[in-house]
């Protein structure tokens, strides 16, 4: 199966999700979280997974992270089947899950602890570089409890980027933040993505957020979780979530999500 999949994958495909199904056993009976889902993500692409709650977006992200394994099908990165987590694929969740007993610097350094071949001075330089990249250089030695929600997510982003992963997996990372903080982070994330050439898979249920960030927006539908189609977003960057263009694309996608296919771009 995987040999066939690798043959048909585009040469530049970083991630290949091939005919993946996943069912969870629950007290309410089996839940079919993903049903024959296939998706390819190119190196350096920014792909948003969009759909209502419960349609399997997080499950798919966890499969790519190696935190779950598929029942059927294969998930591979660079042509190698993913069988567990790895530092080349880092995850960022809605809750930052920072270590409260370490300061900002300590949290970023922690991610570099197991990275071999680096001196302590090099690790410190790398941690400082990423804290600068996310705009937290002045908060290097702040305690985690002193930070706002947005700042905590910036630390989480620096921590995820510090081991230099080639794939960044983001599961509704800004969903708990206020609109103004989110808007700043949309700008910063687009800049960091362009600068670091990282491949991003970003889960959201916010249509505008998906249009603002994604090269491609992949639409999911629930029960069972399936890909319904996708939109390619060709707006120039950096994009402003409040722009007329983002709003127009978002309206089109909202119609598609509701089943009113006015423009079947790729669907
Ligand atoms: P989304 O992220 O799109 O909201 P999820 O991938 O979290 O969706 O969940 C898809 C479905 O699978 C949901 O019905 C959810 O309850 C179920 N599910 C997800 N993870 C588990 C799990 N570990 N155990 C049982 N059911 C799960
Ligand atoms: Mg989810």
């Amino acid at each position: 199966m995987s040999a066939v999949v690798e043959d048909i994958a585009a040469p530049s495909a970083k991630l290949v999700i091939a005919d993946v199904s996943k069912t969870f056993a629950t007290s309410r009976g089996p839940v079919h979280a993903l049903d024959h889902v296939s998706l390819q993500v190119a190196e350096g692409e920014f792909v948003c997974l969009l759909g209502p709650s419960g349609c399997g977006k997080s499950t798919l992200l966890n499969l790519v992270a190696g935190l779950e394994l598929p029942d059927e099908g294969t998930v591979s990165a660079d042509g190698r089947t993913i069988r567990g987590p790895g530092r080349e694929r880092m995850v960022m969740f809605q809750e930052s899950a920072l270590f409260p007993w370490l300061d900002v610097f300590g949290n970023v350094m922690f991610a570099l602890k197991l990275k071999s071949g680096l001196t302590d001075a090099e690790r410190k330089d790398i941690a400082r570089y990423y804290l600068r990249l996310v705009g937290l250089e002045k908060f290097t030695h702040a305690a985690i409890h002193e930070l706002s929600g947005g700042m905590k997510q910036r630390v989480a982003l620096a921590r995820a980027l510090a081991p230099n992963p080639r794939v960044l997996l983001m599961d509704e990372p800004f969903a708990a933040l206020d609109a103004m903080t989110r808007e700043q982070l949309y700008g910063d994330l687009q800049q960091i993505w362009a600068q670091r050439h990282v491949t991003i898979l970003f889960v959201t249920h916010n249509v505008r957020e998906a249009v603002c960030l994604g090269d491609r927006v992949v639409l999911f539908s629930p029960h069972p979780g399936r890909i319904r189609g996708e939109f390619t977003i060709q707006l120039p960057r950096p994009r402003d979530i409040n722009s007329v263009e983002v709003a127009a694309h978002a309206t089109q996608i909202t119609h598609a999500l509701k089943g009113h296919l006015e423009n079947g771009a790729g669907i």
Side-chain angles (χ1 to χ4, degrees):
M1 180 72 189
S2 63
V4 173
V5 168
E6 282 156 27
D7 284 343
I8 59 168
S12 61
K14 181 78 185 168
L15 300 173
V16 178
I17 294 144
D19 210 19
V20 159
S21 295
K22 180 78 182 174
T23 301
F24 292 106
T26 74
S27 54
R28 295 161 287 128
V31 172
H32 210 168
L34 292 173
D35 182 42
H36 297 288
V37 166
S38 295
L39 178 69
Q40 292 193 13
V41 179
E43 171 102 58
E45 203 180 5
F46 198 139
V47 172
C48 291
L49 310 180
L50 175 71
S53 181
C55 64
K57 306 182 297 297
S58 294
T59 302
L60 186 60
L61 210 74
N62 290 339
L63 289 168
V64 178
L67 299 171
E68 303 268 9
L69 291 174
D71 298 336
E72 284 177 53
T74 54
V75 184
S76 53
D78 296 318
R80 283 186 295 276
T81 302
I82 293 169
R83 301 187 200 282
R87 268 198 309 276
E88 71 286 0
R89 287 166 280 116
M90 294 298 286
V91 198
M92 194 182 149
F93 299 102
Q94 181 171 335
E95 300 300 332
S96 51
L98 299 172
F99 301 121
W101 61 88
L102 296 174
D103 65 6
V104 167
F105 193 68
N107 269 275
V108 180
M109 282 294 281
F110 190 87
L112 292 165
K113 222 172 165 179
L114 296 172
K115 207 163 157 73
S116 55
L118 292 174
T119 64
D120 196 45
E122 284 167 339
R123 285 194 179 89
K124 284 179 176 159
D125 279 347
I126 294 170
R128 277 190 214 102
Y129 167 83
Y130 284 100
L131 284 171
R132 230 180 3 257
L133 195 67
V134 301
L136 284 183
E137 63 270 47
K138 293 207 180 90
F139 295 88
T140 304
H141 293 296
I144 298 304
H145 70 84
E146 293 171 344
L147 305 179
S148 66
M151 288 158 86
K152 283 183 189 159
Q153 288 306 69
R154 285 177 187 275
V155 179
L157 182 58
R159 188 177 64 173
L161 289 168
N164 196 24
R166 300 326 297 145
V167 178
L168 187 57
L169 304 165
M170 308 182 81
D171 195 350
E172 310 210 25
F174 308 144
L177 305 177
D178 63 84
M180 259 158 65
T181 304
R182 270 206 308 265
E183 281 171 31
Q184 280 172 357
L185 282 161
Y186 295 147
D188 291 354
L189 181 60
Q190 290 182 76
Q191 213 176 348
I192 289 167
W193 166 72
Q195 216 169 319
R196 301 301 310 157
H197 307 290
V198 66
T199 305
I200 298 186
L201 210 49
F202 187 105
V203 165
T204 180
H205 59 258
N206 181 323
V207 185
R208 277 199 191 210
E209 181 171 273
V211 171
C212 178
L213 295 175
D215 293 324
R216 249 188 318 149
V217 176
V218 178
L219 303 184
F220 278 69
S221 60
H223 317 300
R226 285 186 181 142
I227 292 181
R228 281 189 40 181
E230 62 178 52
F231 280 78
T232 301
I233 313 292
Q234 283 173 326
L235 298 172
R237 295 178 184 272
R239 301 174 189 155
D240 175 359
I241 194 151
N242 297 312
S243 70
V244 176
E245 293 80 10
V246 166
H249 278 71
T251 304
Q252 209 180 10
I253 293 176
T254 304
H255 279 291
L257 272 171
K258 286 182 183 157
H260 305 298
L261 299 180
E262 292 189 341
N263 177 341
I267 295 188

